[in-house]
Amino acid sequence: MMRDVSLLLSFVTISGLLTVAEGRTYIEAFQEIQDQVVWPCPQSPRDSIASAFGPREKITSGVISDDFHRGLDIMGSLGDEIVAVYGGRVEKIHTYSGGGLTVILRHWFTEGVKDVYLLPDKEPTDRWYTMNMHLDGIAMHPTENRELEQYDTIEAGQLIGYMGQSGTASNVHLHHELRIATRCSLEWALANPPPASTCNLHNFDPMINPMLCYKHLTDSQYQKADVSQKQELSPQPDGDYVIAMHDNQPNFNSILFEQIDADGNLVQSHLLDLNRRYGYDASSEASHNMYEKTKPYLNSNSFGLSATHWDINFIIPCIWVPSKNVGDMFRITIHSIWETEETKNEFLVGNSADSWGV
Ligand SMILES: [Zn+2]
């Protein structure tokens, strides 16, 4: 009982000292700190991403299946430096069977002020984590004659380790994750319910697109998503619409698919949100890996694509369109990480004379 009272008092004190903060979305919160965040691989340019955050093909013993890659794979050479992307502390250093030698860092938006929302119906948070996997070694402490250890304080840009191929990795790379609110995955939380573990009581998957914390490339480096010249409007043999698009940075937050009639009225819509996993099959709740493929979804990228050749297909399955009148169109609105009025991407696909449907 005493413990509860002291917690309540400390909360009142904090509230009394600070202006009551309005809640922020996770997108707004990361935009506010992007100027201070550094890229984790000083020797690897921003287009060294071999596998982006999002759907991709998983190859196990030669069998290809759908997967959701919940981090970035940044290519480099054995022994390349890995640095902390932001200030904080070493949360954990551990060797995992899959992730290999891993350094987990904890960072705060504003320590003690829980005002950042990932999901509107969940408790807001004040913290985020970066996971750095497949390392070859751990950096030395900057002033003491020892390697970094749990709870050491870390500054942005500080050396934390060296790139490697430990764990399950087919080549030398950094698997880099951004997790919000908790470092524990949903799979872990479901497999280790309280009281065994209380590290993820939010019942959501904390991995979000790591590109969220990095600054927009300069205009000369960044090309706006090129969709209009890539779209393929003819129905595929299986009856689904496939729209190809190309971008040079994997930066989707969400994609809204809408069917609109000739008068501009909305017939139906479907939202895919990669970070919040809207549009995923609830039957695969444990991993949230699979899209609901009876509704519009993104195809899976194969491994080994460079971000300079980052292509993805939007699929509109014919089963989602039980009827399509002459003049109906699809409107696709892409919300990207660095969205502005100029980069906002909304386009129409469909043939006004086409009465395709099932
Ligand atoms: Zn990876």
Side-chain angles (χ1 to χ4, degrees), residues 46-76:
R46 276 273 288 268
D47 61 2
S48 307
I49 300 165
S51 197
F53 178 90
R56 73 170 181 186
E57 292 174 350
K58 183 180 187 177
I59 305 170
T60 308
S61 306
V63 178
I64 297 175
S65 59
D66 287 331
D67 181 32
F68 192 96
H69 188 224
R70 290 176 286 181
L72 296 178
D73 288 347
I74 304 171
M75 308 309 286

Side-chain angles (χ1 to χ4, degrees), residues 51 56 69-73 134 173-177 303:
S51 197
R56 73 170 181 186
H69 188 224
R70 290 176 286 181
L72 296 178
D73 288 347
H134 307 309
H173 73 281
L174 174 69
H175 175 88
H176 180 61
E177 286 182 9
F303 276 99

Side-chain angles (χ1 to χ4, degrees), residues 73-150:
D73 288 347
I74 304 171
M75 308 309 286
S77 303
L78 184 68
D80 278 359
E81 295 183 347
I82 308 294
V83 302
V85 303
Y86 195 65
R89 75 177 194 193
V90 176
E91 187 69 10
K92 189 176 181 180
I93 297 175
H94 187 71
T95 299
Y96 297 92
S97 58
L101 182 58
T102 298
V103 176
I104 306 171
L105 303 180
R106 180 193 283 198
H107 316 280
W108 286 268
F109 296 107
T110 306
E111 190 170 354
V113 182
K114 294 187 175 183
D115 67 341
V116 178
Y117 290 86
L118 174 66
L119 295 164
D121 61 336
K122 301 288 184 186
E123 190 190 345
T125 188
D126 66 345
R127 65 196 56 183
W128 51 291
Y129 298 83
T130 45
M131 316 277 284
N132 300 281
M133 300 184 180
H134 307 309
L135 300 190
D136 191 58
I138 303 297
M140 295 296 287
H141 187 278
T143 57
E144 298 174 23
N145 188 26
R146 61 169 176 84
E147 289 184 348
L148 288 175
E149 293 172 358
Q150 187 176 36

Side-chain angles (χ1 to χ4, degrees), residues 256-259 266-271 295-296 320:
L256 178 65
F257 294 88
E258 295 169 298
Q259 183 184 351
L266 183 66
V267 178
Q268 60 171 340
S269 66
H270 183 59
L271 177 68
K295 295 174 181 170
W320 188 64

Side-chain angles (χ1 to χ4, degrees), residues 25-28 30-31 34 53-54 68 118 178 208-213 247 249-256 271-278 280 291 298 310 333-339:
T25 69
Y26 68 103
I27 295 173
E28 292 166 339
F30 280 113
Q31 281 171 348
Q34 278 171 355
F53 178 90
F68 192 96
L118 174 66
L178 175 55
I208 54 180
N209 192 337
M211 297 307 282
L212 279 160
C213 71
D247 202 341
Q249 286 282 287
N251 66 354
F252 290 163
N253 279 325
S254 63
I255 303 105
L256 178 65
L271 177 68
L272 281 183
D273 188 318
L274 274 67
N275 294 308
R276 301 193 288 190
R277 313 289 197 275
Y278 295 160
Y280 284 75
Y291 287 115
L298 308 185
W310 194 68
T333 307
I334 302 171
H335 294 287
S336 67
I337 286 168
W338 305 290
E339 183 169 289

